[in-house]
Amino acid sequence: MYAGIEAGGTKFVCAVGTGPDDLTAVTTFPTTTPKETLDLACAFVADHSADLRGIGVASFGPVDLHHSSETYGFITSTPKPGWTDTDVLGPLRKVADVPIGFDTDVNGAALGEARWGAAADLESCVYVTVGTGVGGGAVVGGQLLHGLLHPEMGHLPVVRHQDDDFVGRCPFHGGCLEGMASGPAIADRWGTPAQSLKGEQLEQAVVIEADYLAQMAAALTYILSPARLIFGGGVMQLEGLLEALRARLVEGLNGYLDVREIIEDIDRYIVAPAHADNAGVLGAIALADNAASEPT
């Protein structure tokens, strides 16, 4: 079996298994300091090391994915306090001598949904998470998309909504997508967590959030033309947001892309993840499987 580690900015989720049908030993703990958090992850792996064929880590980022780099397996210039230049893979190598797959948390989730979930019947998809941060991962031709770095979809610039005077909270860009549409941005704007919004505040939040996310969806549609867009994360649990996002995308495209999948089947083009609670850790399991299957 494999060990999967979803290394999120708020929490780590660890599990063992080979896919969604045999996921076991699911363990969750908060993301605190690098040492404390990675010690817990290493202890989890050590407890199951006798039965492992591989480990997969789907991590918040940015991360170094270049195998030839001295900092491969590191979290790099992250906005997460205390985690800049953290070696994630080094401690894990010391507790289990097995192949390790490593990628971003959203790339992992995209791979998991492509293999077992909402895009299992397709050759391409983009997975977007909207929560503590905003990020996206892409599968193209059945393979994860990489390039100079990895996709950083959450830092796309956006046009400010006409009714929104929030300055944005991204420490690098201020009013980028993550700075305007993440869970913390919602909490700052309305003075309460997204899940606590009610009444008029909830309605306002859904309208503004849908506008920013539709700008993202339009950019992804124009640039990558994925067969499906999958939107997950805690913010997407806001009542009516998924439906508002779909409607705002169609409105924003304004008939330019006259394709059935968008015009007639928008509810199948933009979807929720099939494995919402386990998308990240299942993606990590898929990364472990890929790593173990590579020729040595």
Side-chain angles (χ1 to χ4, degrees):
M1 62 184 177
Y2 305 111
I5 301 172
E6 178 190 3
T10 301
K11 64 181 179 180
F12 270 45
V13 181
C14 304
V16 294
T18 60
D21 295 332
D22 65 353
L23 203 64
T24 59
V26 179
T27 303
T28 303
F29 44 87
T31 305
T32 56
T33 66
K35 184 179 188 315
E36 182 178 30
T37 309
L38 293 174
D39 280 353
L40 290 172
C42 288
F44 176 89
V45 170
D47 287 343
H48 301 279
S49 59
D51 301 316
L52 295 182
R53 277 193 70 217
I55 302 168
V57 181
S59 174
F60 72 92
V63 295
D64 187 344
L65 299 179
H66 294 285
H67 287 264
S68 60
S69 170
E70 292 182 356
T71 56
Y72 169 70
F74 279 53
I75 294 171
T76 58
S77 57
T78 178
K80 177 74 173 173
W83 281 78
T84 297
D85 297 330
T86 294
D87 182 4
V88 176
L89 294 194
L92 292 169
R93 292 192 184 104
K94 295 177 181 178
V95 295
D97 185 20
V98 294
I100 303 179
F102 182 66
D103 215 308
T104 64
D105 49 359
V106 282
N107 259 354
L111 182 63
E113 288 290 327
R115 186 165 299 184
W116 299 301
D121 56 337
L122 304 170
E123 283 294 307
S124 65
C125 69
V126 171
Y127 179 94
V128 175
T129 184
V130 190
T132 304
V134 179
V139 173
V140 179
Q143 301 295 317
L144 285 171
L145 180 63
H146 295 124
L148 182 64
L149 185 62
H150 49 75
E152 279 289 350
M153 302 175 189
H155 292 271
L156 287 168
V158 291
V159 177
R160 186 179 301 277
H161 188 276
Q162 61 183 2
D163 297 327
D164 188 17
D165 59 3
F166 182 61
V167 297
R169 61 164 290 138
C170 174
F172 294 96
H173 313 114
C176 66
L177 184 66
E178 180 170 293
M180 301 300 286
S182 64
I186 292 174
D188 285 355
R189 191 186 278 110
W190 280 283
T192 188
Q195 291 76 10
S196 300
L197 292 173
K198 297 179 182 179
E200 185 176 343
Q201 283 189 334
L202 175 60
E203 293 177 8
Q204 292 174 343
V206 166
V207 169
I208 290 174
E209 195 74 10
D211 183 74
Y212 293 135
L213 296 180
Q215 291 183 52
M216 180 192 204
L220 295 173
T221 299
Y222 287 135
I223 295 170
L224 293 179
S225 193
R228 186 157 294 155
L229 291 172
I230 305 164
F231 276 77
V235 171
M236 292 307 302
Q237 301 305 309
L238 287 177
E239 183 179 355
L241 178 55
L242 184 62
E243 294 78 9
L245 164 58
R246 291 166 174 157
R248 186 70 189 90
L249 174 62
V250 172
E251 180 184 5
L253 294 177
N254 199 32
Y256 179 68
L257 298 180
D258 188 13
V259 293
R260 175 184 55 79
E261 287 80 3
I262 294 176
I263 300 301
E264 298 179 13
D265 294 332
I266 188 64
D267 59 337
R268 297 184 62 216
Y269 181 62
I270 298 181
V271 302
H275 301 289
D277 294 336
N278 292 321
V281 75
L282 281 171
I285 295 286
L287 290 171
D289 180 40
N290 283 0
S293 301
E294 291 177 355
T296 57

